[in-house]
């Protein structure tokens, strides 16, 4: 399906507390798409909300990536790019594609556009979506960028051509395509994956199971967690015993063309995670035993 496309992807956590297991899955999916295609994987820290972010959460993000074994080719913080967001906003103002509000905020003058979701297919904007795109704030009255604007500017500058994220961002994408259109920049592919649920509801940060590093601290094997996250919203086309436990190499081989992401909700299954954990630990113990020198 993707031929020789090399994907540049990113994960963009906010440093506001624990690393959510939904963010961890997003990281795994984007890492796989980049590595499987010979592309580039970026870690972006969304820290423009100074009132909410804290430096200790930056450490949590890096520890979470280390735990999952997700290496990245580039990392940056949005707080280091504030001048760039204002520069792009000034370009839109100069071109008549944005306007100033009474409070000094910068508003987009434009409309949304059609975009492609690799799970749901072509997405056409409605009049409501056009209104969302046209009336959105780009730069707040205090001079700080809004998430939607900063995210698109970063993705354009970084060459991101595939954005995999939760389906709760689906409506946001219509806002984003309005910004891409105003900036005359090519849109990436998108893939909106179903949310992870617990007891039938969206998993909240307040749920104990939502913290990735809590699982690490409880001793959950990192490969077991990787496999669990992979199978929470993705499945191989041929789902049999040969893929009951998918190695990282197998995941890279199957993710793009040998399997399928899903937009339906994915239930957090603690029993399945515990089963993966037992099996991976048993496999590793056996491997160590096989490598031990004969008496």
């Amino acid at each position: 399906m993707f031929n020789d496309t090399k994907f540049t992807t990113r994960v963009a956590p906010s440093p506001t507390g624990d690393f959510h297991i939904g963010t961890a899955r997003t990281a795994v999916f984007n890492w796989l798409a980049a590595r499987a295609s010979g592309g580039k994987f970026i870690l972006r820290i969304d820290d423009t909300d100074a009132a909410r972010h804290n430096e200790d959460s930056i450490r949590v993000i890096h520890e979470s990536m280390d735990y999952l074994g997700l290496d990245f080719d580039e990392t940056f913080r949005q707080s280091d790019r504030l001048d760039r967001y204002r520069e792009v906003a000034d370009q839109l103002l100069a071109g008549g594609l944005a306007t100033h509000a009474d409070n000094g905020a910068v508003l987009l003058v434009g409309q949304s556009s059609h975009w492609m979701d690799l799970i749901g297919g072509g997405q056409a904007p409605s009049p409501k979506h056009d209104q969302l795109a046209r009336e959105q704030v780009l730069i707040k009255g205090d001079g700080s960028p809004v998430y939607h604007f900063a995210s698109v500017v970063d993705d354009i500058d970084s060459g991101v051509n595939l954005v995999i994220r939760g389906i709760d961002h689906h409506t946001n994408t219509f806002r984003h395509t309005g910004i891409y259109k105003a900036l005359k920049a090519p849109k990436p592919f998108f893939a909106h994956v179903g949310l992870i649920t617990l007891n039938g509801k969206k998993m909240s940060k307040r749920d104990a199971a939502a913290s990735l590093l809590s699982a690490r601290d409880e001793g959950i094997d990192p490969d077991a967690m990787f496999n669990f996250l992979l199978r929470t919203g993705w499945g191989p086309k041929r789902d049999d015993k040969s893929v009951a436990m998918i190695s990282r190499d197998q995941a890279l081989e199957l993710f793009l063309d040998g399997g399928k992401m899903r937009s339906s909700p994915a239930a957090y299954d603690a029993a399945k995670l515990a089963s993966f954990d037992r099996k991976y630990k048993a496999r590793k113990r056996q491997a160590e035993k096989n490598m031990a020198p004969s008496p």
Side-chain angles (χ1 to χ4, degrees):
M1 176 181 177
F2 299 109
N3 299 320
D4 296 325
T5 303
K6 291 185 177 182
F7 287 122
T8 296
T9 67
R10 46 78 169 172
V11 64
S14 298
T16 56
D18 287 336
F19 198 83
H20 191 276
I21 204 153
T23 306
R25 182 191 59 177
T26 297
V28 167
F29 283 16
N30 280 284
W31 181 87
L32 283 167
R35 294 290 177 256
S37 65
K40 182 178 178 182
F41 179 58
I42 298 168
L43 171 62
R44 186 182 84 207
I45 309 294
D46 285 7
D47 63 344
T48 56
D49 189 346
R52 294 182 64 229
H53 92 261
N54 63 78
E55 289 302 309
D56 190 56
S57 292
I58 302 285
R59 175 189 58 78
V60 168
I61 290 168
H62 284 277
E63 285 190 16
S64 298
M65 300 293 282
D66 289 344
Y67 169 54
L68 291 171
L70 305 181
D71 61 318
F72 44 86
D73 303 292
E74 177 185 333
T75 185
F76 63 90
R77 297 169 62 157
Q78 287 188 323
S79 59
D80 292 331
R81 287 173 48 82
L82 298 179
D83 289 344
R84 174 59 178 159
Y85 306 136
R86 294 177 189 124
E87 176 189 14
V88 176
D90 287 343
Q91 291 171 4
L92 292 173
L93 286 164
L97 295 168
T99 184
H100 275 117
D102 291 340
N103 66 351
V106 179
L107 307 177
L108 183 70
V109 178
Q111 57 186 176
S112 188
S113 65
H114 183 280
W115 51 276
M116 177 57 67
D117 191 298
L118 296 182
I119 302 173
Q123 306 290 310
S126 66
K128 177 183 175 182
H129 293 137
D130 276 341
Q131 185 176 10
L132 285 173
R134 185 169 56 250
E135 296 180 354
Q136 66 178 309
V137 176
L138 306 180
I139 302 290
K140 301 175 190 175
D142 64 4
S144 62
V146 170
Y147 157 75
H148 306 289
F149 183 55
S151 181
V152 171
V153 172
D154 287 339
D155 285 347
I156 292 170
D157 287 353
S158 299
V160 169
N161 58 0
L162 172 61
V163 176
I164 304 174
R165 56 190 177 191
I167 202 166
D168 51 337
H169 283 282
H170 186 272
T171 298
N172 288 341
T173 303
F174 287 101
R175 298 177 188 268
H176 297 175
T177 57
I179 301 171
Y180 278 103
K181 187 173 183 178
L183 293 173
K184 295 182 173 60
K187 297 185 294 290
F189 289 109
F190 295 92
H192 291 86
V193 186
L195 299 180
I196 299 177
T197 61
L198 183 66
N199 300 322
K201 297 179 180 178
K202 177 184 174 182
M203 183 176 269
S204 164
K205 277 193 172 185
R206 292 184 294 275
D207 294 317
S211 169
L212 181 73
L213 291 189
S214 290
R216 179 202 64 179
D217 294 344
E218 290 167 8
I220 297 294
D221 183 271
D223 290 322
M225 178 58 78
F226 182 95
N227 207 131
F228 174 73
L229 293 172
L230 172 64
R231 298 304 296 265
T232 306
W234 175 92
K237 290 178 181 177
R238 182 181 174 184
D239 200 352
D240 56 24
K241 289 184 179 180
S242 68
V243 288
M245 292 172 66
I246 299 177
S247 69
R248 218 163 270 238
D249 287 343
Q250 277 183 301
L252 289 166
E253 197 175 297
L254 294 172
F255 185 73
L256 290 174
D257 290 320
K260 189 175 182 181
M261 291 179 282
R262 295 184 289 265
S263 60
S264 55
Y268 178 88
D269 188 336
K272 181 184 287 187
L273 175 58
S275 176
F276 278 138
D277 187 48
R278 288 192 300 272
K279 290 174 181 177
Y280 272 95
K281 285 174 178 173
R283 177 183 283 185
K284 289 177 180 180
R285 283 195 299 270
Q286 185 61 49
E288 288 173 3
K289 191 179 296 184
N290 293 342
M291 291 176 64
S294 301

